[in-house]
Amino acid sequence: MKNRFNGLKKAVLWVLSAALCGVLLWFAGGKSADLLSFAAFQSARLNLPWHTVEAKVAAAAPKEAESGNKSVSQSDKDNSAAQKEEASVRTGLAETPEDIKTLAQNAKKASKNEKKDGSISDWTYTNEGVTDSFGAVRVKNTNKTKIDIEKLLSQKADLFVDKKKPCVLIFHTHTTETFQLFERSWYPTGNITRSEQSDRNMVRIGKAICEELEKNGFRTVHDTEIHDRSYSGAYDRSRAAAVGYLKKDTSIQVVLDIHRDAIQRTDGTKIRPVAEIGGKRAAQVMIISGCQEEGNGIENFPDWQQNLVFALQLQKEMEESFPGLTRPLYFCPRDYNMNLTHCSLLLEVGSDSNTLEEAEYSGRLIGASLSRLLNNYTEEETKGG
């Protein structure tokens, strides 16, 4: 009699559980797959040990349940960013170009007799040196001038994009900066970090940015001239080239000087700033925006706040699209030719310890993020607003 009662109780519980899940599924719409999995585990609860069922139910439940300190709005943002990451993989952003694979293979073969000079250590920058933050935007402010990120983000950049005309100029003051051709945990004696070969220096990263922008309908100009055969005067030479392009194509408003960093500890260990984006390693990117203020020696950059607005918007777009891609934005007492237009910035893509593959991937992610940002400033968007 007791067994029959227990059996009847299980049956009733099963029916009630299934009915409840059915109602949830009817209301759920887009989350039916998650709820269906959850319903299956709820039914299984009648016949599986408690600890086993609880583990499986936790795995099937929505991600919001994993952390009690996440708000629904933040979870929605995370899900949106994850969807964008998945989209980047589907559209080929994460695919490694064949020539980069070949360069890596050949370099690895040629490295058999190289001797270790020092170590390379991976590092993902998050809040190091951060003085100000708002949402996904983190800033390292080394100026006396205080900033309000939320207020600046609420402003429009001084930008209007006509997709029929060139709107972005990419150039490289330190054109010959290069990367490691294959990944390893050490660098060799006589480590070479310069090359005039455009398939492996900063021109290759600029090319990746331009190709992604062009794919999204934005016309670009790419200056591939070498400006740093002599380090002295490199910024003067790159500025002269950029001014020439701006005179020729007056529609250009976004001007990006693409570099790579070099980070080394006092013990000789080199730092490789990396982030995993869409299941693939990318070189972290640092956006630099300058400032003119009393006593800092900068006298030709009165509209620096316009550039900062654009820098913050780009940082926000990159982080929301590809979380972890950026290092904290460096807001510093420099101009670095950023007074060419109101949307001129300097970007550091990785360091000399990142691989060319990681840096080139980041170039495509920059191009994808910038495309999304520029879409807010097109004629179509302006009319729609």
Side-chain angles (χ1 to χ4, degrees):
M1 184 69 178
K2 184 178 181 180
N3 289 338
R4 287 178 62 190
F5 176 79
N6 286 338
L8 180 60
K9 183 171 71 173
K10 284 186 177 182
V12 170
L13 288 173
W14 189 93
V15 170
L16 289 173
S17 178
L20 176 60
C21 291
V23 172
L24 290 172
L25 285 170
W26 187 74
F27 280 104
K31 293 189 177 181
S32 58
D34 286 339
L35 287 169
L36 186 58
S37 298
F38 189 72
F41 285 121
Q42 285 290 79
S43 297
R45 193 186 205 99
L46 298 170
N47 298 301
L48 290 175
W50 166 262
H51 63 279
T52 304
V53 174
E54 285 304 302
K56 291 187 177 181
V57 169
K63 292 294 183 182
E64 289 85 345
E66 294 179 359
S67 176
N69 59 6
K70 267 191 180 180
S71 67
V72 174
S73 59
Q74 182 60 47
S75 177
D76 289 341
K77 290 178 183 177
D78 291 347
N79 290 337
S80 176
Q83 289 170 0
K84 288 180 180 178
E85 282 191 37
E86 291 172 6
S88 75
V89 177
R90 288 197 300 271
T91 54
L93 286 176
E95 293 178 8
T96 305
E98 289 301 319
D99 68 311
I100 290 182
K101 291 180 183 178
T102 301
L103 284 171
Q105 291 168 357
N106 292 340
K108 195 168 186 177
K109 289 177 183 177
S111 70
K112 291 181 179 179
N113 296 323
E114 290 181 331
K115 295 182 179 180
K116 177 180 176 179
D117 188 23
S119 299
I120 293 175
S121 179
D122 291 349
W123 190 261
T124 299
Y125 286 85
T126 53
N127 295 313
E128 290 81 354
V130 168
T131 57
D132 305 87
S133 63
F134 176 75
V137 178
R138 296 152 296 136
V139 176
K140 179 180 180 180
N141 183 0
T142 59
N143 297 300
K144 297 174 185 176
T145 302
K146 304 300 181 183
I147 60 172
D148 184 335
I149 297 175
E150 183 178 9
K151 183 178 179 180
L152 290 168
L153 282 173
S154 69
Q155 300 176 20
K156 279 282 189 180
D158 183 19
L159 177 63
F160 175 77
V161 175
D162 183 347
K163 282 192 169 186
K164 297 176 182 178
K165 300 177 181 179
C167 60
V168 178
L169 168 64
I170 303 290
F171 71 101
H172 314 280
T173 295
H174 296 154
T175 324
T176 65
E177 291 175 331
T178 57
F179 304 87
Q180 302 296 318
L181 291 180
F182 66 98
E183 184 183 343
R184 56 182 165 184
S185 61
W186 55 274
Y187 59 91
T189 303
N191 185 40
I192 298 173
T193 60
R194 303 274 168 187
S195 175
E196 292 193 9
Q197 294 177 265
S198 61
D199 63 342
R200 64 195 67 188
N201 63 22
M202 297 315 300
V203 171
R204 184 58 186 270
I205 313 308
K207 179 184 176 184
I209 298 172
C210 288
E211 286 179 347
E212 194 59 32
L213 284 165
E214 295 277 353
K215 189 170 72 176
N216 286 287
F218 297 99
R219 295 182 60 187
T220 65
V221 175
H222 188 196
D223 173 35
T224 61
E225 183 63 36
I226 295 175
H227 299 294
D228 62 338
R229 286 192 175 94
S230 169
Y231 233 56
S232 177
Y235 277 97
D236 293 332
R237 289 188 290 274
S238 66
R239 182 182 184 86
V243 168
Y245 287 114
L246 290 172
K247 286 180 178 179
K248 181 181 177 181
D249 289 304
T250 57
S251 55
I252 294 173
Q253 297 177 67
V254 176
V255 179
L256 302 180
D257 189 3
I258 308 299
H259 295 240
R260 65 109 174 100
D261 209 346
I263 313 168
Q264 186 167 320
R265 293 177 182 153
T266 54
D267 65 358
T269 300
K270 289 181 177 289
I271 302 302
R272 176 167 50 213
V274 292
E276 186 170 305
I277 310 293
K280 180 182 174 73
R281 285 161 59 98
Q284 280 192 300
V285 180
M286 181 169 67
I287 300 172
I288 297 179
S289 189
C291 177
Q292 174 180 318
E293 60 186 8
E294 186 177 355
N296 74 353
I298 305 300
E299 299 177 350
N300 59 349
F301 199 5
D303 298 334
W304 59 265
Q305 186 166 302
Q306 296 281 358
N307 299 69
L308 180 59
V309 167
F310 182 69
L312 292 170
Q313 289 185 2
L314 181 57
Q315 174 99 355
K316 181 175 183 289
E317 184 59 58
M318 290 173 69
E319 273 301 308
E320 290 183 351
S321 297
F322 309 108
L325 178 59
T326 66
R327 294 162 59 184
L329 186 153
Y330 185 35
F331 179 45
C332 63
R334 299 286 188 272
D335 59 21
Y336 292 129
N337 290 332
M338 286 182 278
N339 54 4
L340 289 167
T341 71
H342 285 172
C343 296
S344 295
L345 302 172
L346 189 152
L347 272 62
E348 301 269 12
V349 181
S351 77
D352 59 352
S353 297
N354 283 99
T355 64
L356 177 62
E357 179 180 0
E358 292 164 348
E360 200 268 351
Y361 179 37
S362 293
R364 280 175 273 154
L365 298 178
I366 292 169
S369 300
L370 182 55
S371 295
R372 293 186 183 118
L373 177 56
L374 294 182
N375 273 325
N376 297 327
Y377 293 95
T378 61
E379 184 178 3
E380 294 82 0
E381 181 64 26
T382 303
K383 286 181 178 178

